[in-house]
Amino acid sequence: MITLTGKKISEGIAIGKLSFYKRDIKEIKRIYVKDVEKEIQRFQRAREKAVAELRELCESSAREVGDANAAIFEMQQGILEEPMYIDRVCSLILEEKLNAEYIVQDTAGKLLKDPDFLKRGYNRGHEADVSDVSLRLIRILSRRFKDEMFMEEPFVLASRELYPSDTVQLDRNKVLGFVTMYGTINSHTAVLARTRGIPAVIGLGEVLKEEYAGKMIIVDGYEGKVYIEPDYTTLMKMKERRDAGFHQTKNLERLKGKENITQSGQKIDICANVGTREDIENVIRSDAGGIGLFRSEFLYMETGRRIPTEEQIFQVYKLAAESMGSNRVVIRLADLGGDKMAQCIDMGKQSNPAIGIRGMRLLFDKEEILLEQMRAILRASGYGNVCILLPMVVSLEEVEKAKGMLEKAKRSLKQSKVAFNENIPVGVMIETPAAVMISGELAREVDFFSIGTNDLSQFTLGMDRTNRKIEKYYNPYHPAILKMIRIVTNNVHLEGKHVSICGDLAADLSMTEFFIQIGIDELSVAPNQVLALRKKIRDIQ
Ligand code: PEP
Ligand code: MG
């Protein structure tokens, strides 16, 4: 048995076989093959598998987001079934005696310059689709990540580092837990692991070796330990710990339907944070009083190079609104940038992305994306108690500009005679010292506030939340941060408005008493943290 120690980022025990995820398929080797017939068969098998995957995607998308959006996958399927495409790849493998991965990659570029191919109804607008299907094929051919997602058995994922855009795409039914060599506890990968309830240990270093692939592994997300090929005693102990975790969760279930009230009668709301369609079901199960933060950016990070359409994001928001009934659903406009990069939106190279083009700054630059999101949120407001939240705000001018854009979105919906809530509440995230300092003025302009303690810590301390070298200095309990939370709460309450905390500090049970004392109205946490927080509140005198 080998024992490794890392950083715990999400509680729980995962037991299963280890599978290594290699993201970098950018370097495809050019390999000479002797048996070309066998290589052609390998390509054909991968192609059939890709067609089957796309068929499945097409059916599930039709169910979830409508036929119009599912048509993309049908068209991609068409490319893979196009005789000209199949002929081209097969004859190149035959002539050049090279590996299928290399030929597939090479063919994608040439195909769109070929007038014969264009005559078949494909045009320059299909570039992304040709690249998408090629990537799918290459992944299957090289048995990488996505391919593993289709493995029969659930598995534990290992990687050098997982980015938020990888984590958001993990299939929760297949990935039991994950371990990485690098990463930080304040990153969005960690936030996502907690939100999605995936046990995870990161920062194991180079001792996490690829040769462990296929071996039995235990991830102890409570202690930050990983056991490779565990001995019998450890396996039994960990199974017991896992069962104790289930038991603890079961025990907390008795608090469902109960109030979030201290012994002396002080109340506070508990809501849940989400980022994907799948998380919504967890909120219903968690008995949270609504969605306190919908991180819309994750909807843009799970679609690869394709920007989700207004209809697609509307369908997710609508589901959230309908599922929450009369409870609030706070939808944050996509806070892209920093460590939340989406392949589908070009943010250019920036030397310091955390303080670069991100949040509202990015959205003002991409007006069409901003308007589509606003329309999707407004449309969802016709189905429930929806509020709109502006990320990374630093000035009154930004709020004014965003409100102007919201009016524009409203006008376009009115023209199309679409129903929405004309008085949709507008709130701002407090994530920068600038926003704290003008919180009094902001409180006169907006309806509610949400304090993002993760970024507020990063910007107040002047420390990158994703830099592992400074993790030991990163102190979210710094008196300056606690003072800021108090200042904002007072300013907001002077105007009679509502204030919540949606950063990770909201779930920190050592802080609950302080938050209640200073009068925070709401704490928004990962769905599986709701009941433990309720218990903590009910135990306070
Ligand atoms: C925060 O910064 O605390 C927050 C809630 O936003 P995010 O973690 O998504 O940056
Ligand atoms: Mg933030």
Side-chain angles (χ1 to χ4, degrees), residues 188 293 295 332 340 429 431 452-455 465 502-503:
H188 281 95
L293 173 66
R295 289 180 163 100
R332 180 170 77 180
K340 291 181 285 194
M429 287 289 295
E431 299 180 279
T453 49
N454 306 337
D455 276 315
R465 65 196 261 192
C502 63

Side-chain angles (χ1 to χ4, degrees), residues 117 124 130 138 171 188 195 203 239 249 253 255 276 310 320 328 330 332 382 407 420 490:
F117 185 70
R124 295 239 163 257
V130 175
I138 293 166
D171 180 346
H188 281 95
T195 307
K239 280 190 172 168
T249 312
E253 303 243 314
L255 294 179
T276 61
E310 178 185 320
R328 270 160 44 104
V330 177
R332 180 170 77 180
E407 287 310 309
F420 63 88
N490 289 342

Side-chain angles (χ1 to χ4, degrees), residues 309-501:
T309 61
E310 178 185 320
E311 181 63 21
Q312 282 172 322
I313 51 177
F314 159 66
Q315 290 293 343
V316 181
Y317 294 157
K318 176 172 171 255
L319 179 71
E322 286 178 333
S323 313
M324 290 302 118
S326 59
N327 285 337
R328 270 160 44 104
V329 176
V330 177
I331 304 180
R332 180 170 77 180
L333 291 168
D335 178 28
L336 286 159
D339 67 336
K340 291 181 285 194
M341 291 296 182
Q343 262 183 304
C344 62
I345 297 177
D346 181 19
M347 288 174 238
K349 252 206 162 359
Q350 300 176 71
S351 55
N352 205 338
I355 50 173
I357 304 285
R358 60 172 297 183
M360 289 313 295
R361 297 192 278 270
L362 174 76
L363 293 173
F364 288 139
D365 269 4
K366 313 263 177 201
E367 204 175 298
E368 205 31 55
I369 294 178
L370 172 58
L371 280 172
E372 276 175 7
Q373 257 182 79
M374 285 180 160
R375 278 196 298 263
I377 297 173
L378 284 167
R379 285 167 64 190
S381 73
Y383 295 85
N385 185 358
V386 172
C387 312
I388 185 165
L389 179 62
L390 315 178
M392 206 45 70
V393 162
V394 297
S395 71
L396 284 162
E397 289 72 27
E398 282 172 338
V399 173
E400 216 172 285
K401 193 167 172 186
K403 281 182 161 182
M405 295 298 286
L406 190 62
E407 287 310 309
K408 195 168 170 185
K410 286 181 183 174
R411 280 197 298 277
S412 90
L413 287 181
K414 273 184 202 156
Q415 269 168 11
S416 333
K417 302 211 177 340
V418 176
F420 63 88
N421 175 11
E422 178 74 61
N423 301 314
I424 186 168
V426 177
V428 289
M429 287 289 295
I430 299 285
E431 299 180 279
T432 61
V436 173
M437 297 310 284
I438 58 163
S439 51
E441 289 88 332
L442 285 169
R444 289 190 275 281
E445 298 303 320
V446 297
D447 304 302
F448 67 96
F449 286 74
S450 197
I451 306 177
T453 49
N454 306 337
D455 276 315
L456 188 57
S457 306
Q458 149 161 273
F459 297 125
T460 304
L461 302 173
M463 291 183 197
D464 181 352
R465 65 196 261 192
T466 64
N467 185 339
R468 64 195 153 92
K469 290 189 185 144
I470 53 170
E471 217 166 13
K472 60 176 184 260
Y473 303 113
Y474 199 93
N475 174 16
Y477 311 110
H478 193 292
I481 298 165
L482 304 188
K483 208 166 170 178
M484 285 187 175
I485 297 174
R486 200 192 282 267
I487 291 172
V488 173
T489 309
N490 289 342
N491 284 341
V492 173
H493 284 163
L494 277 176
E495 293 298 323
K497 307 277 165 79
H498 177 278
V499 59
S500 85
I501 297 182

Side-chain angles (χ1 to χ4, degrees), residues 276-323:
T276 61
R277 166 183 277 271
E278 291 72 47
D279 298 339
I280 298 168
E281 209 182 301
N282 292 338
V283 181
I284 302 168
R285 271 203 295 264
S286 76
D287 199 38
I291 292 177
L293 173 66
F294 194 130
R295 289 180 163 100
S296 295
E297 54 275 17
F298 293 132
L299 300 178
Y300 290 77
M301 291 160 70
E302 59 182 5
T303 50
R305 270 162 302 128
R306 186 177 306 287
I307 298 181
T309 61
E310 178 185 320
E311 181 63 21
Q312 282 172 322
I313 51 177
F314 159 66
Q315 290 293 343
V316 181
Y317 294 157
K318 176 172 171 255
L319 179 71
E322 286 178 333
S323 313

Side-chain angles (χ1 to χ4, degrees), residues 4-12 157-159 177-182 193 198-204 208 218-226:
L4 308 177
T5 305
K7 293 177 268 191
K8 50 184 179 184
I9 55 163
S10 180
E11 290 189 339
L157 187 76
S159 175
F178 70 79
V179 291
T180 66
M181 292 181 191
Y182 303 109
I198 307 176
V201 175
I202 60 166
L204 294 164
L208 176 66
I218 300 175
V219 184
D220 180 352
Y222 296 107
E223 301 296 332
K225 297 260 187 219
V226 167

